[in-house]
Amino acid sequence: MRNTVRNALAALLLATAGSTAAEAAALCFRGVNLAGAEYGEGIGTYGKDYIYPSEKTVAYFAAKGMDTIRLPFKWERLQPQLGARLDGAELQRLKEAVALIRRHGMRIVLDPHNYAYYGGQQIGSREVPSFAFAEFWARLAVEFSAEKDVVFGLMNEPHDIAASVWLAAANEAIRSIRAVGANNLVLVPGTAWTGAHSWAADRPGGANATVMLGIEDPADNYAYEFHQYLDSDYSGTHTACDNAQNAAAALTQVTEWLKANGRRGFLGEFGAAANSQCLGGLKKMLDVVSADGDVWLGWTYWAAGDWWPADEPMNVQPTADGDRAQLHVLTKAIRASGGTAACTDG
């Protein structure tokens, strides 16, 4: 069945290869990351060390035409002990945040923002075996299995882990999600910070572009997640966008990889400062994604949030003076991309 679906998608991609941006399929996701629940060291205290999005912030971005919130949180807070039940109070806070976002007509991407680590130990290690990661996802998936507007982002930016090791952990997590009856869309990152620019780069354990083709999903309802920044080292930590051209080119190369392999992609993080070089780069990246909605599900900008520092260059949380410059680029892309596709119906 999976091969049949893949072949049909590949045929569809070939048939629409000559489409213009205006003719491309509508995107599923046009939104923003709302930082806050992943803040702080250790478990911490809610309201002091970390926070979930406020209604004012969610309503602001919904009013701007955004239809998706990527919601970062910490695995350790939700499951303070590996293999144990999820913490009831933290789970309730997460559910309330999901309900708040839903009330404003937006989809939710759940994002364990842990970089493939738990308590400082890497997934696949003796301390955090891959089955513990799978067990966590089984528990979380049960809580949201009937909610098609909730998307499961397996993990934020795995790094310093071989792609082959990460593939095994991702597949085990996906099996556990499906085993509990959850058919939600799953977003699968690669390793090496899941950068689009390094997707095909060979490294110990193999290149993401080769190894991650081994993803197995019994429900065949997944997409690959990519992150891409525009600065000199693609880290998103500099105000100059020296790699703006290369960042757009990286997304074009990933687009070709998705088409060639009959896969789908999602741009989960990208962001830049509010200078002309960066704003032009953001537009080019959004143009690449919007032009190929048949393989790209959409994007969520990094970032905003009630506690996101006002002087953070990539911040799009509104100021007393109104919208930030990057938001004008994002909202223009939303208007140009038309309606929203129903890609979360698994």
Side-chain angles (χ1 to χ4, degrees):
M1 177 63 177
R2 183 159 60 245
N3 289 337
T4 300
V5 173
R6 293 285 179 232
N7 291 339
L9 178 56
L12 175 62
L13 295 175
L14 182 61
T16 59
S19 296
T20 65
E23 296 169 335
L27 299 179
C28 308
F29 310 114
R30 290 85 54 88
V32 65
N33 289 260
L34 290 186
E38 82 284 19
Y39 282 9
E41 299 297 326
I43 302 299
T45 302
Y46 177 69
K48 176 183 177 183
D49 300 300
Y50 69 101
I51 193 171
Y52 282 88
S54 69
E55 179 151 21
K56 181 179 180 181
T57 288
V58 173
Y60 169 80
F61 288 104
K64 296 299 178 182
M66 293 188 175
D67 53 39
T68 305
I69 297 298
R70 185 170 180 256
L71 186 61
F73 59 89
K74 288 186 72 172
W75 178 4
E76 295 89 345
R77 289 190 178 122
L78 197 54
Q79 189 181 43
Q81 181 179 345
L82 285 179
R85 297 175 61 182
L86 302 183
D87 180 81
E90 190 65 15
L91 178 61
Q92 184 60 30
R93 282 189 279 267
L94 180 62
K95 286 186 171 183
E96 288 173 356
V98 168
L100 168 62
I101 295 166
R102 179 180 293 126
R103 284 200 302 273
H104 287 275
M106 306 171 84
R107 294 169 173 152
I108 305 95
V109 177
L110 297 181
D111 167 41
H113 212 76
N114 279 73
Y115 307 93
Y117 286 81
Y118 177 98
Q121 302 296 323
Q122 191 176 86
I123 292 174
S125 65
R126 182 178 60 182
E127 294 80 6
V128 187
S130 58
F131 67 76
F133 178 54
E135 190 272 346
F136 162 72
W137 261 114
R139 290 184 182 274
L140 186 56
V142 164
E143 302 294 337
F144 296 97
S145 63
E147 303 174 27
K148 290 184 177 181
D149 57 354
V150 176
V151 178
F152 298 159
L154 282 186
M155 176 58 59
N156 181 70
E157 295 186 349
H159 67 88
D160 299 325
I161 180 173
S164 55
V165 175
W166 171 241
L167 173 69
N171 276 336
E172 193 165 352
I174 293 171
R175 284 195 298 272
S176 73
I177 289 169
R178 303 314 184 201
V180 299
N183 291 318
N184 307 55
L185 174 66
V186 173
L187 300 176
V188 183
T191 186
W193 309 91
T194 201
H197 66 278
S198 60
W199 191 250
D202 199 12
R203 60 186 73 247
N208 284 323
T210 303
V211 174
M212 297 307 292
L213 286 173
I215 286 293
E216 297 178 350
D217 178 9
D220 199 33
N221 189 28
Y222 71 95
Y224 292 94
E225 181 172 336
F226 303 90
H227 293 181
Q228 188 59 55
Y229 291 94
L230 299 80
D231 51 347
S232 58
D233 58 0
Y234 301 108
S235 65
T237 59
H238 306 90
T239 56
C241 291
D242 298 329
N243 270 318
Q245 289 289 120
N246 292 336
L251 293 185
T252 297
Q253 291 167 1
V254 164
T255 301
E256 294 170 354
W257 180 86
L258 292 169
K259 289 182 176 182
N261 292 286
R263 299 317 204 253
R264 302 184 296 175
F266 166 68
L267 184 58
E269 284 188 23
F270 66 107
N275 57 65
S276 59
Q277 180 190 41
C278 293
L279 296 176
L282 286 179
K283 181 183 183 303
K284 289 179 181 178
M285 292 173 64
L286 289 164
D287 286 346
V288 171
V289 174
S290 296
D292 279 292
D294 292 316
V295 293
W296 284 105
L297 299 184
W299 47 266
T300 47
Y301 180 91
W302 182 271
D306 295 270
W307 285 5
W308 200 236
D311 59 355
E312 159 56 47
M314 292 184 292
N315 187 2
V316 291
Q317 189 78 5
T319 70
D321 297 325
D323 299 344
R324 296 184 185 252
Q326 299 97 318
L327 196 71
H328 294 297
V329 177
L330 300 176
T331 54
K332 186 174 182 179
I334 291 172
R335 290 193 299 269
S337 62
T340 300
C343 304
T344 56
D345 295 331

